[in-house]
PDB file of all heavy atoms in Angstrom:
ATOM      1  N   ALA A   4     -84.525  60.225-124.616  1.00 89.00           N
ATOM      2  CA  ALA A   4     -83.626  59.538-125.556  1.00 89.00           C
ATOM      3  C   ALA A   4     -82.248  60.181-125.557  1.00 89.00           C
ATOM      4  O   ALA A   4     -81.224  59.500-125.707  1.00 89.00           O
ATOM      5  CB  ALA A   4     -84.228  59.545-126.964  1.00 89.00           C
ATOM      6  N   PHE A   5     -82.201  61.508-125.394  1.00 92.00           N
ATOM      7  CA  PHE A   5     -80.913  62.201-125.382  1.00 92.00           C
ATOM      8  C   PHE A   5     -80.128  61.850-124.115  1.00 92.00           C
ATOM      9  O   PHE A   5     -78.929  61.551-124.193  1.00 92.00           O
ATOM     10  CB  PHE A   5     -81.156  63.728-125.413  1.00 92.00           C
ATOM     11  CG  PHE A   5     -79.910  64.545-125.532  1.00 92.00           C
ATOM     12  CD1 PHE A   5     -79.297  64.764-126.756  1.00 92.00           C
ATOM     13  CD2 PHE A   5     -79.305  65.094-124.401  1.00 92.00           C
ATOM     14  CE1 PHE A   5     -78.144  65.524-126.859  1.00 92.00           C
ATOM     15  CE2 PHE A   5     -78.156  65.841-124.496  1.00 92.00           C
ATOM     16  CZ  PHE A   5     -77.565  66.057-125.734  1.00 92.00           C
ATOM     17  N   THR A   6     -80.807  61.844-122.938  1.00 91.00           N
ATOM     18  CA  THR A   6     -80.103  61.504-121.713  1.00 91.00           C
ATOM     19  C   THR A   6     -79.668  60.038-121.716  1.00 91.00           C
ATOM     20  O   THR A   6     -78.631  59.679-121.191  1.00 91.00           O
ATOM     21  CB  THR A   6     -80.984  61.802-120.491  1.00 91.00           C
ATOM     22  OG1 THR A   6     -82.201  61.055-120.609  1.00 91.00           O
ATOM     23  CG2 THR A   6     -81.310  63.275-120.390  1.00 91.00           C
ATOM     24  N   ALA A   7     -80.524  59.166-122.334  1.00 90.00           N
ATOM     25  CA  ALA A   7     -80.153  57.745-122.407  1.00 90.00           C
ATOM     26  C   ALA A   7     -78.916  57.535-123.285  1.00 90.00           C
ATOM     27  O   ALA A   7     -78.074  56.691-123.000  1.00 90.00           O
ATOM     28  CB  ALA A   7     -81.326  56.933-122.954  1.00 90.00           C
ATOM     29  N   LEU A   8     -78.819  58.316-124.363  1.00 92.00           N
ATOM     30  CA  LEU A   8     -77.664  58.215-125.251  1.00 92.00           C
ATOM     31  C   LEU A   8     -76.367  58.532-124.541  1.00 92.00           C
ATOM     32  O   LEU A   8     -75.345  57.894-124.726  1.00 92.00           O
ATOM     33  CB  LEU A   8     -77.856  59.156-126.450  1.00 92.00           C
ATOM     34  CG  LEU A   8     -76.670  59.252-127.431  1.00 92.00           C
ATOM     35  CD1 LEU A   8     -76.473  57.920-128.150  1.00 92.00           C
ATOM     36  CD2 LEU A   8     -76.923  60.376-128.429  1.00 92.00           C
ATOM     37  N   LEU A   9     -76.418  59.557-123.665  1.00 93.00           N
ATOM     38  CA  LEU A   9     -75.185  60.034-123.033  1.00 93.00           C
ATOM     39  C   LEU A   9     -75.010  59.546-121.614  1.00 93.00           C
ATOM     40  O   LEU A   9     -73.932  59.703-121.026  1.00 93.00           O
ATOM     41  CB  LEU A   9     -75.136  61.548-123.062  1.00 93.00           C
ATOM     42  CG  LEU A   9     -75.208  62.180-124.441  1.00 93.00           C
ATOM     43  CD1 LEU A   9     -75.116  63.706-124.340  1.00 93.00           C
ATOM     44  CD2 LEU A   9     -74.100  61.654-125.342  1.00 93.00           C
ATOM     45  N   GLY A  10     -76.074  58.997-120.983  1.00 92.00           N
ATOM     46  CA  GLY A  10     -75.952  58.449-119.639  1.00 92.00           C
ATOM     47  C   GLY A  10     -76.109  59.462-118.525  1.00 92.00           C
ATOM     48  O   GLY A  10     -75.833  59.133-117.368  1.00 92.00           O
ATOM     49  N   TYR A  11     -76.521  60.667-118.822  1.00 91.00           N
ATOM     50  CA  TYR A  11     -76.688  61.705-117.792  1.00 91.00           C
ATOM     51  C   TYR A  11     -78.115  61.672-117.258  1.00 91.00           C
ATOM     52  O   TYR A  11     -79.059  61.240-117.912  1.00 91.00           O
ATOM     53  CB  TYR A  11     -76.465  63.107-118.383  1.00 91.00           C
ATOM     54  CG  TYR A  11     -75.022  63.422-118.721  1.00 91.00           C
ATOM     55  CD1 TYR A  11     -74.556  63.271-120.040  1.00 91.00           C
ATOM     56  CD2 TYR A  11     -74.129  63.852-117.770  1.00 91.00           C
ATOM     57  CE1 TYR A  11     -73.242  63.561-120.374  1.00 91.00           C
ATOM     58  CE2 TYR A  11     -72.816  64.160-118.078  1.00 91.00           C
ATOM     59  CZ  TYR A  11     -72.388  63.997-119.387  1.00 91.00           C
ATOM     60  OH  TYR A  11     -71.086  64.316-119.711  1.00 91.00           O
ATOM     61  N   ASP A  12     -78.296  62.193-115.994  1.00 88.00           N
ATOM     62  CA  ASP A  12     -79.607  62.549-115.501  1.00 88.00           C
ATOM     63  C   ASP A  12     -79.986  63.901-116.078  1.00 88.00           C
ATOM     64  O   ASP A  12     -79.111  64.743-116.290  1.00 88.00           O
ATOM     65  CB  ASP A  12     -79.612  62.632-113.968  1.00 88.00           C
ATOM     66  CG  ASP A  12     -79.441  61.252-113.333  1.00 88.00           C
ATOM     67  OD1 ASP A  12     -79.851  60.261-113.957  1.00 88.00           O
ATOM     68  OD2 ASP A  12     -78.881  61.190-112.217  1.00 88.00           O
ATOM     69  N   ARG A  13     -81.264  64.090-116.300  1.00 84.00           N
ATOM     70  CA  ARG A  13     -81.693  65.339-116.935  1.00 84.00           C
ATOM     71  C   ARG A  13     -81.282  66.556-116.109  1.00 84.00           C
ATOM     72  O   ARG A  13     -80.843  67.568-116.635  1.00 84.00           O
ATOM     73  CB  ARG A  13     -83.206  65.337-117.130  1.00 84.00           C
ATOM     74  CG  ARG A  13     -83.698  66.558-117.860  1.00 84.00           C
ATOM     75  CD  ARG A  13     -85.187  66.452-118.165  1.00 84.00           C
ATOM     76  NE  ARG A  13     -85.486  65.190-118.862  1.00 84.00           N
ATOM     77  CZ  ARG A  13     -86.621  64.953-119.478  1.00 84.00           C
ATOM     78  NH1 ARG A  13     -87.580  65.858-119.491  1.00 84.00           N
ATOM     79  NH2 ARG A  13     -86.822  63.805-120.060  1.00 84.00           N
ATOM     80  N   ALA A  14     -81.414  66.454-114.794  1.00 82.00           N
ATOM     81  CA  ALA A  14     -81.082  67.590-113.948  1.00 82.00           C
ATOM     82  C   ALA A  14     -79.605  67.959-114.008  1.00 82.00           C
ATOM     83  O   ALA A  14     -79.238  69.115-113.772  1.00 82.00           O
ATOM     84  CB  ALA A  14     -81.480  67.286-112.491  1.00 82.00           C
ATOM     85  N   ASP A  15     -78.779  66.973-114.355  1.00 84.00           N
ATOM     86  CA  ASP A  15     -77.320  67.222-114.417  1.00 84.00           C
ATOM     87  C   ASP A  15     -76.917  67.882-115.711  1.00 84.00           C
ATOM     88  O   ASP A  15     -75.839  68.506-115.790  1.00 84.00           O
ATOM     89  CB  ASP A  15     -76.563  65.904-114.274  1.00 84.00           C
ATOM     90  CG  ASP A  15     -76.714  65.304-112.886  1.00 84.00           C
ATOM     91  OD1 ASP A  15     -76.935  66.092-111.945  1.00 84.00           O
ATOM     92  OD2 ASP A  15     -76.646  64.064-112.765  1.00 84.00           O
ATOM     93  N   ILE A  16     -77.711  67.770-116.761  1.00 88.00           N
ATOM     94  CA  ILE A  16     -77.270  68.260-118.062  1.00 88.00           C
ATOM     95  C   ILE A  16     -78.074  69.454-118.541  1.00 88.00           C
ATOM     96  O   ILE A  16     -77.577  70.317-119.241  1.00 88.00           O
ATOM     97  CB  ILE A  16     -77.327  67.107-119.109  1.00 88.00           C
ATOM     98  CG1 ILE A  16     -76.503  67.476-120.323  1.00 88.00           C
ATOM     99  CG2 ILE A  16     -78.751  66.779-119.484  1.00 88.00           C
ATOM    100  CD1 ILE A  16     -76.303  66.335-121.281  1.00 88.00           C
ATOM    101  N   GLN A  17     -79.358  69.509-118.151  1.00 86.00           N
ATOM    102  CA  GLN A  17     -80.195  70.629-118.575  1.00 86.00           C
ATOM    103  C   GLN A  17     -79.742  71.907-117.862  1.00 86.00           C
ATOM    104  O   GLN A  17     -79.583  71.919-116.635  1.00 86.00           O
ATOM    105  CB  GLN A  17     -81.657  70.333-118.256  1.00 86.00           C
ATOM    106  CG  GLN A  17     -82.650  71.152-119.046  1.00 86.00           C
ATOM    107  CD  GLN A  17     -84.020  70.501-119.042  1.00 86.00           C
ATOM    108  OE1 GLN A  17     -84.332  69.709-119.904  1.00 86.00           O
ATOM    109  NE2 GLN A  17     -84.852  70.854-118.049  1.00 86.00           N
ATOM    110  N   GLY A  18     -79.541  72.932-118.612  1.00 86.00           N
ATOM    111  CA  GLY A  18     -79.024  74.174-118.041  1.00 86.00           C
ATOM    112  C   GLY A  18     -77.515  74.343-118.241  1.00 86.00           C
ATOM    113  O   GLY A  18     -76.970  75.419-117.996  1.00 86.00           O
ATOM    114  N   ARG A  19     -76.821  73.259-118.688  1.00 89.00           N
ATOM    115  CA  ARG A  19     -75.386  73.357-118.956  1.00 89.00           C
ATOM    116  C   ARG A  19     -75.146  73.823-120.397  1.00 89.00           C
ATOM    117  O   ARG A  19     -76.032  73.720-121.270  1.00 89.00           O
ATOM    118  CB  ARG A  19     -74.721  71.989-118.789  1.00 89.00           C
ATOM    119  CG  ARG A  19     -74.627  71.550-117.340  1.00 89.00           C
ATOM    120  CD  ARG A  19     -74.144  70.114-117.226  1.00 89.00           C
ATOM    121  NE  ARG A  19     -72.883  69.861-117.920  1.00 89.00           N
ATOM    122  CZ  ARG A  19     -72.231  68.708-117.856  1.00 89.00           C
ATOM    123  NH1 ARG A  19     -72.735  67.711-117.145  1.00 89.00           N
ATOM    124  NH2 ARG A  19     -71.101  68.571-118.499  1.00 89.00           N
ATOM    125  N   ALA A  20     -73.977  74.340-120.621  1.00 91.00           N
ATOM    126  CA  ALA A  20     -73.603  74.722-121.997  1.00 91.00           C
ATOM    127  C   ALA A  20     -73.363  73.465-122.834  1.00 91.00           C
ATOM    128  O   ALA A  20     -72.802  72.476-122.366  1.00 91.00           O
ATOM    129  CB  ALA A  20     -72.356  75.575-121.975  1.00 91.00           C
ATOM    130  N   LEU A  21     -73.843  73.501-124.092  1.00 93.00           N
ATOM    131  CA  LEU A  21     -73.601  72.377-124.984  1.00 93.00           C
ATOM    132  C   LEU A  21     -72.121  72.104-125.139  1.00 93.00           C
ATOM    133  O   LEU A  21     -71.688  70.946-125.290  1.00 93.00           O
ATOM    134  CB  LEU A  21     -74.238  72.648-126.346  1.00 93.00           C
ATOM    135  CG  LEU A  21     -74.018  71.570-127.435  1.00 93.00           C
ATOM    136  CD1 LEU A  21     -74.605  70.250-126.996  1.00 93.00           C
ATOM    137  CD2 LEU A  21     -74.606  72.022-128.749  1.00 93.00           C
ATOM    138  N   SER A  22     -71.303  73.165-125.047  1.00 92.00           N
ATOM    139  CA  SER A  22     -69.854  72.995-125.197  1.00 92.00           C
ATOM    140  C   SER A  22     -69.226  72.154-124.120  1.00 92.00           C
ATOM    141  O   SER A  22     -68.111  71.675-124.277  1.00 92.00           O
ATOM    142  CB  SER A  22     -69.194  74.382-125.235  1.00 92.00           C
ATOM    143  OG  SER A  22     -69.437  75.084-124.033  1.00 92.00           O
ATOM    144  N   SER A  23     -69.946  71.946-122.974  1.00 92.00           N
ATOM    145  CA  SER A  23     -69.387  71.124-121.892  1.00 92.00           C
ATOM    146  C   SER A  23     -69.406  69.662-122.229  1.00 92.00           C
ATOM    147  O   SER A  23     -68.709  68.860-121.620  1.00 92.00           O
ATOM    148  CB  SER A  23     -70.163  71.380-120.594  1.00 92.00           C
ATOM    149  OG  SER A  23     -71.514  70.918-120.714  1.00 92.00           O
ATOM    150  N   ILE A  24     -70.221  69.267-123.208  1.00 92.00           N
ATOM    151  CA  ILE A  24     -70.284  67.864-123.632  1.00 92.00           C
ATOM    152  C   ILE A  24     -70.038  67.716-125.138  1.00 92.00           C
ATOM    153  O   ILE A  24     -70.070  66.597-125.661  1.00 92.00           O
ATOM    154  CB  ILE A  24     -71.634  67.215-123.278  1.00 92.00           C
ATOM    155  CG1 ILE A  24     -72.754  67.961-123.961  1.00 92.00           C
ATOM    156  CG2 ILE A  24     -71.828  67.148-121.766  1.00 92.00           C
ATOM    157  CD1 ILE A  24     -74.096  67.237-123.889  1.00 92.00           C
ATOM    158  N   GLY A  25     -69.861  68.835-125.822  1.00 91.00           N
ATOM    159  CA  GLY A  25     -69.653  68.771-127.257  1.00 91.00           C
ATOM    160  C   GLY A  25     -68.805  69.924-127.742  1.00 91.00           C
ATOM    161  O   GLY A  25     -68.128  70.580-126.929  1.00 91.00           O
ATOM    162  N   PRO A  26     -68.841  70.214-129.021  1.00 90.00           N
ATOM    163  CA  PRO A  26     -68.008  71.298-129.537  1.00 90.00           C
ATOM    164  C   PRO A  26     -68.473  72.666-129.061  1.00 90.00           C
ATOM    165  O   PRO A  26     -69.661  72.873-128.750  1.00 90.00           O
ATOM    166  CB  PRO A  26     -68.176  71.157-131.055  1.00 90.00           C
ATOM    167  CG  PRO A  26     -69.510  70.508-131.237  1.00 90.00           C
ATOM    168  CD  PRO A  26     -69.659  69.587-130.075  1.00 90.00           C
ATOM    169  N   GLY A  27     -67.577  73.628-129.011  1.00 87.00           N
ATOM    170  CA  GLY A  27     -67.921  74.943-128.503  1.00 87.00           C
ATOM    171  C   GLY A  27     -68.376  75.916-129.563  1.00 87.00           C
ATOM    172  O   GLY A  27     -68.710  77.062-129.243  1.00 87.00           O
ATOM    173  N   ASN A  28     -68.409  75.462-130.831  1.00 89.00           N
ATOM    174  CA  ASN A  28     -68.720  76.427-131.897  1.00 89.00           C
ATOM    175  C   ASN A  28     -70.009  76.089-132.654  1.00 89.00           C
ATOM    176  O   ASN A  28     -70.203  76.510-133.781  1.00 89.00           O
ATOM    177  CB  ASN A  28     -67.563  76.448-132.904  1.00 89.00           C
ATOM    178  CG  ASN A  28     -67.337  75.098-133.581  1.00 89.00           C
ATOM    179  OD1 ASN A  28     -67.883  74.078-133.134  1.00 89.00           O
ATOM    180  ND2 ASN A  28     -66.556  75.074-134.627  1.00 89.00           N
ATOM    181  N   VAL A  29     -70.920  75.318-132.003  1.00 91.00           N
ATOM    182  CA  VAL A  29     -72.155  74.945-132.697  1.00 91.00           C
ATOM    183  C   VAL A  29     -72.993  76.185-133.012  1.00 91.00           C
ATOM    184  O   VAL A  29     -73.450  76.382-134.162  1.00 91.00           O
ATOM    185  CB  VAL A  29     -72.973  73.956-131.854  1.00 91.00           C
ATOM    186  CG1 VAL A  29     -74.383  73.797-132.429  1.00 91.00           C
ATOM    187  CG2 VAL A  29     -72.277  72.592-131.821  1.00 91.00           C
ATOM    188  N   THR A  30     -73.196  77.056-132.045  1.00 89.00           N
ATOM    189  CA  THR A  30     -74.014  78.259-132.276  1.00 89.00           C
ATOM    190  C   THR A  30     -73.328  79.174-133.292  1.00 89.00           C
ATOM    191  O   THR A  30     -74.002  79.808-134.108  1.00 89.00           O
ATOM    192  CB  THR A  30     -74.246  79.024-130.982  1.00 89.00           C
ATOM    193  OG1 THR A  30     -72.994  79.300-130.331  1.00 89.00           O
ATOM    194  CG2 THR A  30     -75.130  78.205-130.025  1.00 89.00           C
ATOM    195  N   THR A  31     -71.998  79.222-133.263  1.00 89.00           N
ATOM    196  CA  THR A  31     -71.270  80.050-134.229  1.00 89.00           C
ATOM    197  C   THR A  31     -71.490  79.522-135.646  1.00 89.00           C
ATOM    198  O   THR A  31     -71.715  80.288-136.581  1.00 89.00           O
ATOM    199  CB  THR A  31     -69.761  80.025-133.902  1.00 89.00           C
ATOM    200  OG1 THR A  31     -69.555  80.490-132.571  1.00 89.00           O
ATOM    201  CG2 THR A  31     -68.986  80.915-134.864  1.00 89.00           C
ATOM    202  N   GLN A  32     -71.424  78.202-135.808  1.00 89.00           N
ATOM    203  CA  GLN A  32     -71.625  77.601-137.144  1.00 89.00           C
ATOM    204  C   GLN A  32     -73.046  77.819-137.621  1.00 89.00           C
ATOM    205  O   GLN A  32     -73.279  78.173-138.791  1.00 89.00           O
ATOM    206  CB  GLN A  32     -71.326  76.099-137.098  1.00 89.00           C
ATOM    207  CG  GLN A  32     -69.857  75.745-136.885  1.00 89.00           C
ATOM    208  CD  GLN A  32     -69.630  74.268-137.041  1.00 89.00           C
ATOM    209  OE1 GLN A  32     -69.760  73.704-138.112  1.00 89.00           O
ATOM    210  NE2 GLN A  32     -69.275  73.599-135.937  1.00 89.00           N
ATOM    211  N   LEU A  33     -74.027  77.626-136.731  1.00 89.00           N
ATOM    212  CA  LEU A  33     -75.431  77.804-137.115  1.00 89.00           C
ATOM    213  C   LEU A  33     -75.692  79.254-137.494  1.00 89.00           C
ATOM    214  O   LEU A  33     -76.357  79.544-138.515  1.00 89.00           O
ATOM    215  CB  LEU A  33     -76.355  77.373-135.982  1.00 89.00           C
ATOM    216  CG  LEU A  33     -76.397  75.885-135.678  1.00 89.00           C
ATOM    217  CD1 LEU A  33     -77.278  75.633-134.453  1.00 89.00           C
ATOM    218  CD2 LEU A  33     -76.890  75.086-136.847  1.00 89.00           C
ATOM    219  N   ASP A  34     -75.162  80.195-136.690  1.00 85.00           N
ATOM    220  CA  ASP A  34     -75.378  81.610-136.954  1.00 85.00           C
ATOM    221  C   ASP A  34     -74.752  82.003-138.292  1.00 85.00           C
ATOM    222  O   ASP A  34     -75.353  82.731-139.068  1.00 85.00           O
ATOM    223  CB  ASP A  34     -74.770  82.445-135.821  1.00 85.00           C
ATOM    224  CG  ASP A  34     -75.122  83.921-135.940  1.00 85.00           C
ATOM    225  OD1 ASP A  34     -76.317  84.245-135.922  1.00 85.00           O
ATOM    226  OD2 ASP A  34     -74.187  84.724-136.108  1.00 85.00           O
ATOM    227  N   ALA A  35     -73.542  81.458-138.591  1.00 85.00           N
ATOM    228  CA  ALA A  35     -72.874  81.807-139.834  1.00 85.00           C
ATOM    229  C   ALA A  35     -73.647  81.264-141.039  1.00 85.00           C
ATOM    230  O   ALA A  35     -73.789  81.938-142.055  1.00 85.00           O
ATOM    231  CB  ALA A  35     -71.465  81.217-139.832  1.00 85.00           C
ATOM    232  N   ARG A  36     -74.196  80.067-140.896  1.00 84.00           N
ATOM    233  CA  ARG A  36     -74.955  79.513-142.014  1.00 84.00           C
ATOM    234  C   ARG A  36     -76.281  80.235-142.223  1.00 84.00           C
ATOM    235  O   ARG A  36     -76.714  80.433-143.369  1.00 84.00           O
ATOM    236  CB  ARG A  36     -75.212  78.017-141.772  1.00 84.00           C
ATOM    237  CG  ARG A  36     -73.942  77.182-141.783  1.00 84.00           C
ATOM    238  CD  ARG A  36     -74.243  75.711-141.716  1.00 84.00           C
ATOM    239  NE  ARG A  36     -73.016  74.919-141.643  1.00 84.00           N
ATOM    240  CZ  ARG A  36     -72.974  73.600-141.698  1.00 84.00           C
ATOM    241  NH1 ARG A  36     -74.092  72.912-141.826  1.00 84.00           N
ATOM    242  NH2 ARG A  36     -71.827  72.962-141.614  1.00 84.00           N
ATOM    243  N   LEU A  37     -76.903  80.653-141.127  1.00 81.00           N
ATOM    244  CA  LEU A  37     -78.154  81.415-141.277  1.00 81.00           C
ATOM    245  C   LEU A  37     -77.901  82.757-141.932  1.00 81.00           C
ATOM    246  O   LEU A  37     -78.665  83.213-142.770  1.00 81.00           O
ATOM    247  CB  LEU A  37     -78.785  81.609-139.901  1.00 81.00           C
ATOM    248  CG  LEU A  37     -79.386  80.331-139.252  1.00 81.00           C
ATOM    249  CD1 LEU A  37     -79.691  80.563-137.790  1.00 81.00           C
ATOM    250  CD2 LEU A  37     -80.618  79.902-140.024  1.00 81.00           C
ATOM    251  N   ARG A  38     -76.843  83.433-141.530  1.00 77.00           N
ATOM    252  CA  ARG A  38     -76.542  84.748-142.110  1.00 77.00           C
ATOM    253  C   ARG A  38     -76.086  84.645-143.553  1.00 77.00           C
ATOM    254  O   ARG A  38     -76.131  85.637-144.279  1.00 77.00           O
ATOM    255  CB  ARG A  38     -75.457  85.454-141.266  1.00 77.00           C
ATOM    256  CG  ARG A  38     -75.931  85.844-139.876  1.00 77.00           C
ATOM    257  CD  ARG A  38     -74.821  86.501-139.064  1.00 77.00           C
ATOM    258  NE  ARG A  38     -75.228  86.862-137.738  1.00 77.00           N
ATOM    259  CZ  ARG A  38     -75.859  88.020-137.431  1.00 77.00           C
ATOM    260  NH1 ARG A  38     -76.110  88.888-138.402  1.00 77.00           N
ATOM    261  NH2 ARG A  38     -76.201  88.280-136.192  1.00 77.00           N
ATOM    262  N   ALA A  39     -75.659  83.457-143.975  1.00 74.00           N
ATOM    263  CA  ALA A  39     -75.203  83.296-145.346  1.00 74.00           C
ATOM    264  C   ALA A  39     -76.376  83.200-146.322  1.00 74.00           C
ATOM    265  O   ALA A  39     -76.174  83.257-147.537  1.00 74.00           O
ATOM    266  CB  ALA A  39     -74.319  82.043-145.467  1.00 74.00           C
ATOM    267  N   THR A  40     -77.591  83.065-145.800  1.00 64.00           N
ATOM    268  CA  THR A  40     -78.760  82.949-146.660  1.00 64.00           C
ATOM    269  C   THR A  40     -79.018  84.285-147.336  1.00 64.00           C
ATOM    270  O   THR A  40     -79.242  85.283-146.687  1.00 64.00           O
ATOM    271  CB  THR A  40     -79.986  82.525-145.850  1.00 64.00           C
ATOM    272  OG1 THR A  40     -79.703  81.317-145.181  1.00 64.00           O
ATOM    273  CG2 THR A  40     -81.194  82.339-146.770  1.00 64.00           C
TER     274      THR A  40
END
C-alpha cells in the first residue's frame, strides 16, 4: 500500500533514507517527543 501510494518499486525505495522522499527531521522530532516524556 505504501509503494502504491508513491508509485515506487519496493526495491527502489527500501533501504533509502526517508528524507529522500520526505522531511529530513522525522527521527529528530520523534526522538525529541520521546525524550520529553
